[in-house]
Amino acid sequence: MGSLDADLPVVTVDGFKPLDVDDLRKQLLLSVDFIVDYYKNVDAQPVLPQVQPGYLRHLMPAAPPPRGATLEDALRDIRLAVLPGMTNWASPNFFAYFPATLGSAALVGDFIASALNPVAFTWLSCPAATELEELVLDWLAQLLRLPPAFRSSSDSRGAGGGVIHATTSEAILCTLVAARDGAVRRAGGVPISRLVAYGSDQTHSTFAKACRIAGYDQANVRLIPTRLGSGYALVAARLRDAMAADAAAGLVPAYVCATVGTTSSTAVDPLGLIADVAAEFGAWVHVDAAYAGSACICPEFRGFLDGVERADSLSISPHKWLLTGLDCTCLWLRDRPRLAESLGTNPEYLKNEPSESGLVVDCKDLQVGVGRRFRALKLWMVLRTYGVAGLQAHIRSDVEMAQAFEGMVRADRRFEVVVPPRFALVCFRIRAWGGREAAAEADNRSLLALVNGGGRVYVTHTVLDGKYVLRFAVGSTLTEHRHVASAWELIRAKADEVLGGRPLE
């Protein structure tokens, strides 16, 4: 035995019961009070924690406790040590990245799913989990007006359907693998090193990462430049030029990742035109609509998905904007068996009659791992309790608040809106007066540091066409118009500090 084992005391506990049903109600009530208190007070707390790296080790013991503590003691530790180091994504003053929304229905659904605790890798391991997943994916597909080819319901008469993953990263990785295997077969067994994957310079960074994991040569991952003139969308003609050049060089175009709502600016790629180009080369088309896809349940935004009927797969993350809580990404496929061909496993210890009958879906064959959480329950709870009208109202409210913020920015001549907003993200900056971009970047860096420095509001940045730009993303579940107005007043005040009495040209 090592020295660590020798240092740990030997403690015996009589009558240890890790799940005491009689005590469970009391523990849950204490936990509910803790959560409710957090949400009641989160508005008054800093969004960004005022701690230094390593702070937690000074507040927690260096070794595990020999004897357990009461739940009250554990909750006190969380309150004193964990909460001070939390970046409060639930804060109504959180305007960074994209939101991670959470409604009470999802919270309750996730709680019940955790209590039931199924490991639903095959249909037989938990029929309810598999069938609810298929049902709720078909529900959401209907809201999005996806073509029947993407649905698993019996009336679609096809091989389509979906699966719920943790995040978009997994959805892109899995479809890259399926596209890889299909391209290798189609091209007569060419080596993977000859396959090429395409996106734009606005495609999420997880695309390039997933390409590495899936075995694509990094020299064959094309990130095609975009410009303001196209709204930072991928131009189909440039995609065709790149794919034609690669094919002429003996490479095999295999995968195109189109985006509806890019992270930097919510750009929307022209899905139909991109699908037309990809079809010329037999490439798989995946549509990443992680953020903005949720907005497409509203008729006024559905046009951004036009052309999706030509894609091979589509992913949307309801945990971003559909009140479902991390983690929950919905992946739909036109030909779901292609994913299972690449990711399926069939060990003896999991063989069973329903799986072998071909009448059921085993979700383990549609993902990276084998075990999986019962994510469908919280998404079903959201749809069941809020309904279409409630979810549409939620999306529209966030968009209206973003439009209000855009109006505030445009009313101050010191600022400019860099790209026309499409959803609930506003990209803006202090103007480059006299064309002095270097000075503008310095001003905007200083402004961001001052705005975030007090911890009261959190905003992030990006770079578009070489310009340093601030991103203001509306969508935190608790955000109201007053929080948006207050954030703008803070930004204006900090801009006064940055610009001082400098004359505007």
Side-chain angles (χ1 to χ4, degrees):
M1 303 289 285
S3 60
L4 178 60
D5 301 287
D7 292 339
L8 291 175
V10 177
V11 179
T12 59
V13 180
D14 295 328
F16 174 62
K17 298 174 68 175
L19 181 58
D20 187 334
V21 176
D22 293 332
D23 199 36
L24 181 60
R25 184 185 301 275
K26 174 188 174 184
Q27 293 179 329
L28 292 178
L29 289 174
L30 287 170
S31 301
V32 167
D33 287 342
F34 179 90
I35 293 168
V36 170
D37 287 345
Y38 171 76
Y39 278 106
K40 279 186 174 180
N41 295 299
V42 70
D43 192 349
Q45 300 303 314
V47 184
L48 285 171
Q50 308 297 300
V51 297
Q52 297 301 315
Y55 90 97
L56 191 65
R57 287 188 175 272
H58 298 294
L59 301 175
M60 292 283 194
R67 292 186 180 276
T70 65
L71 180 65
E72 290 91 338
D73 288 338
L75 292 175
R76 186 183 66 247
D77 288 349
I78 295 173
R79 186 176 293 108
L80 296 177
V82 176
L83 291 188
M86 287 293 298
T87 297
N88 287 307
W89 285 68
S91 171
N93 302 303
F94 186 98
F95 302 103
Y97 312 113
F98 281 135
T101 58
L102 176 66
S104 55
L107 198 157
V108 171
D110 216 8
F111 160 68
I112 295 173
S114 295
L116 297 175
N117 200 32
V119 186
F121 36 75
T122 62
W123 179 90
L124 186 62
S125 68
C126 189
T130 300
E131 299 206 3
L132 189 63
E133 186 159 328
E134 290 205 308
L135 174 70
V136 77
L137 284 166
D138 279 353
W139 276 10
L140 190 50
Q142 291 177 55
L143 291 187
L144 294 166
R145 289 187 287 164
L146 298 184
F150 284 102
R151 304 180 198 173
S152 60
S153 52
S154 58
D155 59 354
S156 66
R157 305 181 189 280
V163 63
I164 298 180
H165 286 166
T167 66
T168 300
S169 300
E170 185 177 4
I172 291 178
L173 173 60
C174 290
T175 52
L176 274 164
V177 170
R180 177 198 69 192
D181 295 349
V184 167
R185 288 192 298 268
R186 187 177 69 250
V190 299
I192 296 174
S193 60
R194 286 175 56 188
L195 304 186
V196 189
Y198 304 84
S200 81
D201 59 1
Q202 300 300 306
T203 303
H204 197 282
S205 60
T206 196
F207 168 64
K209 180 177 182 178
C211 286
R212 289 202 306 271
I213 298 171
Y216 290 72
D217 188 328
Q218 287 301 286
N220 292 340
V221 177
R222 310 280 185 250
L223 300 179
I224 299 170
T226 61
R227 294 291 180 265
L228 177 60
S230 68
Y232 298 108
L234 175 59
V235 175
R238 292 179 182 171
L239 175 64
R240 178 182 285 106
D241 290 345
M243 298 181 85
D246 286 331
L251 300 176
V252 180
Y255 186 96
V256 179
C257 184
T259 307
V260 174
T262 59
T263 300
S264 283
S265 66
T266 64
V268 176
D269 294 336
L271 304 185
L273 295 176
I274 287 172
D276 289 342
V277 172
E280 296 176 23
F281 301 90
W284 182 297
V285 176
H286 177 73
V287 177
D288 170 13
Y291 162 69
S294 293
C296 296
I297 67 169
C298 298
E300 62 267 34
F301 295 113
R302 175 54 180 81
F304 291 118
L305 281 180
D306 285 353
V308 72
E309 66 277 1
R310 302 284 313 285
D312 295 281
S313 54
L314 162 71
S315 59
I316 290 174
S317 296
H319 64 242
K320 288 185 181 294
W321 204 7
L322 214 57
L323 301 171
T324 308
L326 198 68
D327 49 20
C328 182
T329 290
C330 299
L331 171 65
W332 291 273
L333 303 112
R334 177 182 301 282
D335 189 355
R336 191 164 55 178
R338 288 184 63 183
L339 203 62
E341 288 172 10
S342 294
L343 302 174
T345 58
N346 191 29
E348 187 63 36
Y349 51 82
L350 291 183
K351 290 181 179 179
N352 61 83
E353 185 174 337
S355 295
E356 294 175 4
S357 73
L359 299 176
V360 301
V361 172
D362 290 338
C363 291
K364 68 178 177 60
D365 297 331
L366 304 171
Q367 61 178 30
V368 173
V370 175
R372 59 201 324 273
R373 298 178 61 234
F374 192 3
R375 297 185 183 93
L377 188 59
K378 63 179 178 181
L379 180 56
W380 177 84
M381 284 284 287
V382 166
L383 294 170
R384 179 71 177 88
T385 59
Y386 299 149
V388 178
L391 292 172
Q392 289 177 339
H394 158 69
I395 295 291
R396 288 169 177 147
S397 173
D398 288 346
V399 172
E400 289 170 3
M401 286 189 283
Q403 290 172 342
F405 182 81
E406 178 193 2
M408 297 173 197
V409 174
R410 292 189 184 279
D412 189 327
R413 63 186 297 263
R414 299 175 299 176
F415 291 88
E416 65 176 337
V417 174
V418 177
V419 61
R422 296 175 184 83
F423 303 101
L425 172 72
V426 180
C427 294
F428 71 106
R429 67 171 188 160
I430 295 173
R431 292 179 183 274
W433 296 99
R436 293 190 290 270
E437 285 296 338
E441 178 171 338
D443 287 344
N444 283 288
R445 285 184 180 275
S446 297
L447 176 60
L448 186 65
L450 289 171
V451 168
N452 290 339
R456 174 180 150 200
V457 166
Y458 190 23
V459 179
T460 50
H461 81 281
T462 191
V463 174
L464 294 170
D465 252 350
K467 299 175 181 178
Y468 187 92
V469 175
L470 276 59
R471 298 172 69 261
F472 191 89
V474 178
S476 182
T477 311
L478 298 175
T479 299
E480 300 173 0
H481 277 276
R482 61 189 175 91
H483 299 107
V484 173
S486 178
W488 173 242
E489 288 306 314
L490 176 65
I491 291 168
R492 288 188 63 198
K494 297 306 180 183
D496 289 342
E497 295 182 30
V498 171
L499 297 174
R502 192 188 314 169
L504 303 180
E505 301 175 15

